Amino acid sequence: MSDNDNFRAEVAAWLEAHCPASMRRPITADEIIWGGSRLSFQNEDQRLWFERCRDRGWFAPGWPKEYGGGGLSPKQARIVEEEMTRLSCRQPQYNLGVWMLGPVLLEVGTEEQKREHLIPMMRGQQRWCQGFSEPNAGSDLASLKTSAKRVQDSEGEAYIVNGSKIWTSYGDQADWMYALVRTDASARKQQGISFVLIDMHAPGVSVKPIELISGKSSFCEVFFDNVRVPLRQLVGPEGEGWAVAKKLLQHERAAMSKFAEGGAPSHDALAVARPYLDEASPAQAAVWRDRLAAQLMDAHAFALTHQRVTAQAMARQDVSGPASIMKLVQTEQEVAKYELLVQIMGLRGLSWEGEDFSQLEHDICRQWLLTKTYTIGGGTSEVQLNIIAKRVLGLPA
Ligand SMILES: Cc1cc2nc3c(=O)[nH]c(=O)nc-3n(C[C@H](O)[C@H](O)[C@H](O)COP(=O)(O)OP(=O)(O)OC[C@H]3O[C@@H](n4cnc5c(N)ncnc54)[C@H](O)[C@@H]3O)c2cc1C
């Protein structure tokens, strides 16, 4: 047996012994454990699983031990993730800080920033949100206007931040926000942008939730009114926040797939559709079966491509182009799947609440609405197509 095989066997044995059975069932959105100052558990199994992973540094197995990680090599960290997936162990903590900001701080953060933020993330004490989009800066993110003016006051050097962010997922629950702000209004678009870390409890920060059509309200508007951000919370050089954000976005897809795992269970289309197909006329059912079969084949082809791209990423090849293809195809497939399910279910696919409909019917309807966000969040489908045209196909801009 190779060292890696031995390590895999050890990991599997530890997981079998320490992951409670209830933490190996598919997670629902309500059962997600978010890190942060409002950390709470619904039961003892959740607490045990959280604390056991935390104590091993397995919120981020590949991070250095000095910052609370597991200190494992990239290959070993991957083995931990693979075994957790294989044994259906839940993510012990959901946290944008760990998934997206952390790797960036490890790469470009100061020692002070690493100590101030990575260790609390790894203890599950800091929850993060992303402050990029603004009312007139979504796809064209570099148009953002939230300003950060550098000042020297009695407490030292700082930025005074004014403006607002929109579509901030879970902004009302977060302790900290990583944000893009404009530190130089006269510089060309991208050049005047800096990447800063903002304490959501600081004076002058206010948050207003936005309701979604799916009934869930995870979005917020965040307003900054003369918010003081100490200079030590600037990540990377001033004016070079765009490059820092690009590094961070490389981790967004992985983060979104973890979200999908808990927040948005994807249904087995065939199992859902079967009883409704049995009730349909033979002619109609034949058409739907054809469309379902085509979707299942597409999904299978996608899964195989995904495996190939994952292998390329592990071999440290540049997968930024394929990542856009994956994002585009997966989200469009999910949208198409729920569109078809709702058509097959007819009126029963449009149920919101009430005892005349099953829980599954309510879930499908809400999920159908939620998929509308998939092709927007993390960059719209059109923007992905632009990236693919430019970076993958080499077409002129
Ligand atoms: C579920 C979800 C979670 C999100 N979470 C966050 C978050 O936590 N933090 C955050 O900062 N933001 C977040 N967002 C915001 C998201 O990043 C933006 O909605 C997205 O970038 C699109 O911007 P926009 O809404 O301003 O649309 P716009 O950019 O105004 O786009 C409108 C339409 O025009 C199209 N379009 C725009 N430019 C082009 C172009 N050049 N070529 C072709 N078509 C184009 C778009 O594809 C779209 O169809 C989230 C969004 C969603 C849906």
Side-chain angles (χ1 to χ4, degrees):
M1 259 219 235
S2 73
D3 286 353
N4 282 336
D5 290 340
N6 283 331
F7 180 73
R8 188 180 291 279
E10 275 170 37
V11 169
W14 188 87
L15 291 172
E16 293 280 11
H18 293 93
C19 184
S22 66
M23 296 295 105
R24 292 175 63 176
R25 287 202 287 271
I27 195 166
T28 64
D30 299 336
E31 292 173 321
I32 288 178
I33 299 296
W34 298 96
S37 54
R38 301 167 203 226
L39 175 68
S40 67
F41 303 102
Q42 292 159 354
N43 56 56
E44 187 60 9
D45 280 355
Q46 283 184 337
R47 191 183 61 74
L48 274 177
W49 181 226
F50 179 92
E51 290 180 354
R52 285 170 177 168
C53 288
R54 178 197 64 194
D55 295 346
R56 273 182 98 82
W58 279 9
F59 290 156
W63 288 17
K65 277 200 162 145
E66 58 186 310
Y67 304 125
L72 301 177
S73 69
K75 178 68 193 169
Q76 287 176 325
R78 182 80 198 133
I79 288 175
V80 171
E81 282 174 15
E82 284 170 2
E83 287 306 296
M84 284 176 94
T85 307
R86 188 180 66 81
L87 294 170
S88 310
C89 304
R90 293 178 175 181
Q91 291 290 326
Q93 177 190 203
Y94 283 63
N95 197 327
L96 284 194
V98 178
W99 294 336
M100 294 175 66
L101 177 65
V104 173
L105 286 186
L106 280 171
E107 194 182 334
V108 298
T110 62
E111 189 53 33
E112 192 184 9
Q113 286 167 348
K114 289 178 194 168
R115 299 221 164 267
E116 182 174 357
H117 298 301
L118 297 184
I119 295 170
M121 280 178 208
M122 286 293 103
R123 301 205 59 74
Q125 295 163 339
Q126 252 187 16
R127 181 163 175 184
W128 287 79
C129 63
Q130 174 169 300
F132 285 4
S133 306
E134 294 184 8
N136 291 312
S139 303
D140 184 16
L141 187 56
S143 295
L144 62 92
K145 291 206 164 48
T146 293
S147 70
K149 196 165 165 244
R150 196 153 161 174
V151 295
Q152 170 81 46
D153 59 22
S154 55
E155 291 171 60
E157 275 197 287
Y159 292 107
I160 300 299
V161 176
N162 280 289
S164 69
K165 296 288 172 183
I166 195 164
W167 314 126
T168 315
S169 300
Y170 304 104
D172 53 345
Q173 308 286 320
D175 300 301
W176 284 81
M177 167 190 276
Y178 52 86
L180 290 176
V181 292
R182 188 159 294 285
T183 39
D184 183 354
S186 62
R188 273 189 53 228
K189 257 179 157 180
Q190 277 96 340
Q191 273 90 344
I193 292 174
S194 298
F195 189 106
V196 293
L197 310 178
I198 301 178
D199 181 351
M200 294 294 279
H201 308 295
V205 178
S206 54
V207 182
K208 195 170 136 207
I210 305 169
E211 188 128 351
L212 294 183
I213 51 170
S214 65
K216 292 183 181 153
S217 178
S218 59
F219 281 137
C220 294
E221 281 179 278
V222 180
F223 301 91
F224 306 104
D225 182 11
N226 287 321
V227 176
R228 186 179 186 281
V229 177
L231 189 62
R232 67 170 196 283
Q233 305 296 1
L234 170 71
V235 179
E238 184 178 284
E240 292 184 27
W242 193 251
V244 180
K246 280 210 301 210
K247 284 184 196 299
L248 186 133
L249 290 175
Q250 286 174 8
H251 304 284
E252 185 160 29
R253 222 202 86 74
M256 285 186 71
S257 68
K258 285 177 178 151
F259 261 122
E261 185 188 308
S266 192
H267 294 86
D268 176 343
L270 209 54
V272 173
R274 191 166 288 129
Y276 304 93
L277 290 175
D278 291 343
E279 285 169 16
S281 70
Q284 182 65 78
V287 173
W288 280 332
R289 283 202 174 92
D290 268 358
R291 288 176 59 191
L292 266 172
Q295 283 194 1
L296 290 173
M297 284 190 281
D298 284 347
H300 188 61
F302 175 81
L304 293 175
T305 311
H306 188 260
Q307 273 176 20
R308 181 166 50 78
V309 174
T310 306
Q312 285 174 325
M314 280 177 70
R316 301 201 177 272
Q317 291 176 17
D318 177 14
V319 291
S320 50
S324 282
I325 299 176
M326 297 283 103
K327 199 285 174 178
L328 174 78
V329 174
Q330 188 188 27
T331 53
E332 293 289 349
Q333 281 186 354
E334 281 295 288
V335 170
K337 176 165 110 179
Y338 283 91
E339 284 289 343
L340 181 58
L341 281 179
V342 166
Q343 281 178 31
I344 292 174
M345 291 164 74
L347 272 181
R348 304 207 69 81
L350 296 175
S351 68
W352 188 252
E353 57 191 5
E355 288 170 8
D356 291 342
F357 298 90
S358 69
Q359 186 57 47
L360 181 69
E361 287 165 343
H362 297 323
D363 289 347
I364 295 291
C365 177
R366 284 166 192 249
Q367 192 68 17
W368 167 62
L369 293 172
L370 191 65
T371 57
K372 307 286 176 201
T373 67
Y374 290 7
T375 54
I376 303 171
T380 65
S381 286
E382 292 78 11
V383 166
Q384 304 306 323
L385 284 169
N386 284 347
I387 296 172
I388 294 163
K390 239 161 87 178
R391 284 206 216 134
V392 181
L393 303 176
L395 299 176

